[in-house]
Amino acid sequence: MRFSDIWHMCVENLKRRKGRTILTVLGVFIGCCSIIVMVSIGIGMTESQNQMLENMGDLTIIEVSQGTSQDGKTMNLDDDAIKSFSQIEGVQAILPKYEAYDYTVGAYAGANQRYANTDWLPLIGVDTEALESMGYEFVEGETAGKGKDEAVAGQFFAYAFKDTLLPDGRNTVDYWSAKYDEQGREIKDPVYPDPYFNLMNAPITLKFTDSNQNSYEREIQITGRVKEDYGKGYETSQGLMISIDTLKDIISKITGLPPGKTEYTSMSVKATDINTVGDVESEIKAMGYNTYSMASMREEMQKSARQMQLMLGGLGAISLFVAAIGITNTMIMSISERTKEIGIMKSLGCYVRDIRALFLMEAGTIGLLGGIVGSVFSFLISWGINIVSIGMGFTKEALLQAIFGGEGVSRISVIPVWLVAFAIVFSIFIGLASGYYPANKAVKISALEAIKSE
């Protein structure tokens, strides 16, 4: 028999017993739908966890601090450490940070230093040329030159200045009202008010004061502003970043001593991608340094999510197992009713393999139909769950976010293409496996006894 003949007979047999076929397909549909929805919730958990970690900081960044080697030697964060880290495979960039803890820093701008920031100024020395490769996003301008009297400011550095000619309470520009609403939620695409002066055009005077009230002033030029990211440091908000050489030169001017060997306060190492973070961090730890990254936290959360997916997928698989029993029962009943038909097919010279293929095709088709319908309904269920969780109503934006996600959007249920393909293929496999025993039973029926059967 040709394949087209077997397929035609398969379709006609399923159509002839519509009620039974529909009920059997319904069982597969419920099982398939259960698996997809259950696993999609586990995938949604993973997506939410990754978004949470990304909001906490760059997942490819490893924070390194001073440690102790196995032989008891103190491992300092110095230029030798930078050289050692740069030789590790998978390291993309290194950003040392040098902070002047022993000095009070104030910033002034405008004619006669009218605008002043003397309350709180996070200032650090960094390798300014490595900022972009470390993932710092510039909202204006560009990075500062190395060793020059230039600096990179945090996104809201200009708003930290007070107008010394105005009374307290009215001497600052309020940007918080534009950033957050009355409920404290961050506003998307906020429009900020203009600060007192244009940060990119106005020279800034930095005043350093030590514990003995010795002071030193240095005028710098702001070359760019970086986007606020507390995961990279408070200096990205209202702080300032200057080159390490500039900061060392300033301290040398205050103390009257030549710059010595630099021991950095902290050091950030960026891996090429998230998959290499674990290996890079392990090598740095082996040198004796202390490290911290989101990788270890991410691994634990992924392990928990995988366990949840297996548990939820197992619950869905139980439904599909019940459906498999239904397919087996349906096919056995079909064989019992079609015994004479099988005998006639054998008498006409129909090959045993064709009879087996016919019954397997019927079982596989039931699995295919159940898988397709189950996938469609799974998408609808997932879409409905996400619409409710997003809480934006049935708007066009909410509909698109429920399907494709978006920045800052956490979907409860996420159905990737591979999950749908797996569910359909698995449903077909369940159908074929369930129909295998009935198909073998059909081919073993004697042609003579089958013809005599009523």
Side-chain angles (χ1 to χ4, degrees):
M1 292 177 66
R2 295 176 300 180
F3 177 83
S4 58
D5 294 330
I6 298 174
W7 173 249
H8 178 74
M9 291 181 64
C10 167
V11 173
E12 290 300 319
N13 288 330
L14 293 176
K15 288 169 62 177
R16 188 167 46 186
R17 299 169 178 83
K18 291 181 182 178
R20 186 187 300 168
T21 301
I22 291 173
L23 290 174
T24 310
V25 169
L26 182 62
V28 179
F29 149 72
I30 294 173
C32 178
C33 196
S34 299
I35 286 182
I36 294 177
V37 172
M38 293 292 189
V39 174
S40 73
I41 292 174
I43 297 173
M45 288 175 56
T46 303
E47 182 182 83
S48 298
Q49 290 170 355
N50 287 336
Q51 286 183 351
M52 182 187 71
L53 290 174
E54 288 172 0
N55 291 334
M56 294 172 63
D58 191 336
L59 299 182
T60 61
I61 296 291
I62 303 167
E63 298 295 340
V64 185
S65 57
Q66 189 183 75
T68 305
S69 63
Q70 292 182 350
D71 57 4
K73 179 183 176 182
T74 300
M75 304 301 293
N76 295 317
L77 297 176
D78 50 24
D79 293 328
D80 292 335
I82 295 177
K83 185 177 180 181
S84 299
F85 298 160
S86 62
Q87 295 175 351
I88 299 175
E89 185 179 355
V91 171
Q92 178 178 327
I94 302 170
L95 185 70
K97 293 184 179 181
Y98 181 50
E99 299 183 45
Y101 286 122
D102 299 330
Y103 303 91
T104 302
V105 185
Y108 303 87
N112 300 317
Q113 297 186 350
R114 174 177 176 176
Y115 307 109
N117 176 6
T118 57
D119 295 332
W120 182 65
L121 174 55
L123 184 140
I124 62 168
V126 298
D127 181 1
T128 51
E129 294 184 340
L131 291 177
E132 289 185 279
S133 58
M134 288 296 294
Y136 285 76
E137 183 180 341
F138 280 78
V139 296
E140 186 178 11
E142 57 186 11
T143 190
K146 187 174 183 179
K148 299 179 181 179
D149 291 335
E150 297 177 344
V152 174
Q155 184 174 358
F156 303 109
F157 175 68
Y159 295 98
F161 286 80
K162 295 180 179 180
D163 188 340
T164 57
L165 300 182
L166 295 177
D168 289 342
R170 297 193 313 175
N171 59 348
T172 58
V173 178
D174 177 25
Y175 75 95
W176 286 91
S177 299
K179 188 176 182 181
Y180 299 99
D181 60 19
E182 295 178 354
Q183 285 74 39
R185 295 174 299 191
E186 193 166 355
I187 298 173
K188 186 178 181 180
D189 299 325
V191 179
Y192 297 109
D194 293 329
Y196 286 129
F197 58 92
N198 187 336
L199 192 64
M200 305 297 293
N201 296 330
I204 304 295
T205 300
L206 297 179
K207 184 177 181 179
F208 292 76
T209 306
D210 64 12
S211 58
N212 297 320
Q213 298 306 308
N214 297 317
S215 63
Y216 174 79
E217 293 186 3
R218 175 73 69 92
E219 187 177 280
I220 61 168
Q221 181 65 48
I222 305 298
T223 62
R225 291 189 304 128
V226 294
K227 185 177 180 181
E228 182 183 63
D229 184 353
Y230 287 113
K232 290 183 170 61
Y234 290 104
E235 61 274 6
T236 60
S237 178
Q238 293 187 338
L240 207 59
M241 289 170 278
I242 61 178
S243 73
I244 294 172
D245 291 338
T246 299
L247 184 55
K248 289 172 65 176
D249 182 63
I250 291 172
I251 294 174
S252 176
K253 292 292 192 301
I254 299 174
T255 60
L257 300 174
K261 184 178 180 181
T262 305
E263 288 191 9
Y264 303 107
T265 311
S266 63
M267 198 172 291
S268 300
V269 177
K270 184 177 178 64
T272 51
D273 58 71
I274 196 169
N275 297 319
T276 60
V277 172
D279 295 335
V280 173
E281 187 172 9
S282 296
E283 291 200 40
I284 295 175
K285 281 184 176 180
M287 295 179 184
Y289 295 95
N290 296 318
T291 64
Y292 168 78
S293 72
M294 296 292 180
S296 55
M297 186 186 301
R298 179 174 177 265
E299 288 175 2
E300 289 299 321
M301 295 175 77
Q302 284 184 329
K303 182 180 178 180
S304 175
R306 282 194 295 267
Q307 291 174 345
M308 183 64 69
Q309 286 181 31
L310 288 173
M311 183 183 72
L312 295 174
L315 292 174
I318 293 174
S319 301
L320 204 54
F321 177 73
V322 174
I325 296 175
I327 294 175
T328 304
N329 180 60
T330 298
M331 297 307 299
I332 291 175
M333 290 179 63
S334 178
I335 290 169
S336 300
E337 296 173 354
R338 294 158 59 188
T339 304
K340 193 168 186 176
E341 177 185 334
I342 294 171
I344 293 172
M345 291 173 65
K346 284 189 172 184
S347 300
L348 293 175
C350 183
Y351 291 113
V352 169
R353 65 172 182 270
D354 292 333
I355 298 174
R356 181 184 287 111
L358 174 62
F359 285 96
L360 286 175
M361 187 174 290
E362 290 180 17
T365 302
I366 290 174
L368 174 63
L369 291 174
I372 293 174
V373 177
S375 299
V376 173
F377 271 83
S378 297
F379 267 113
L380 295 175
I381 293 171
S382 173
W383 173 76
I385 292 173
N386 291 333
I387 282 287
V388 174
S389 67
I390 292 173
M392 295 174 58
F394 289 90
T395 62
K396 181 180 179 181
E397 184 180 3
L399 296 178
L400 292 175
Q401 289 179 347
I403 299 173
F404 302 107
E407 187 176 354
V409 176
S410 295
R411 294 178 292 171
I412 293 178
S413 175
V414 179
I415 302 179
V417 175
W418 66 262
L419 179 57
V420 176
F422 168 78
I424 293 175
V425 171
F426 190 60
S427 297
I428 296 173
F429 171 77
I430 288 293
L432 293 174
S434 303
Y436 185 77
Y437 169 72
N440 274 347
K441 184 178 180 181
V443 299
K444 291 177 181 179
I445 296 176
S446 168
L448 184 58
E449 291 180 5
I451 293 174
K452 293 179 179 180
S453 176
E454 292 295 333

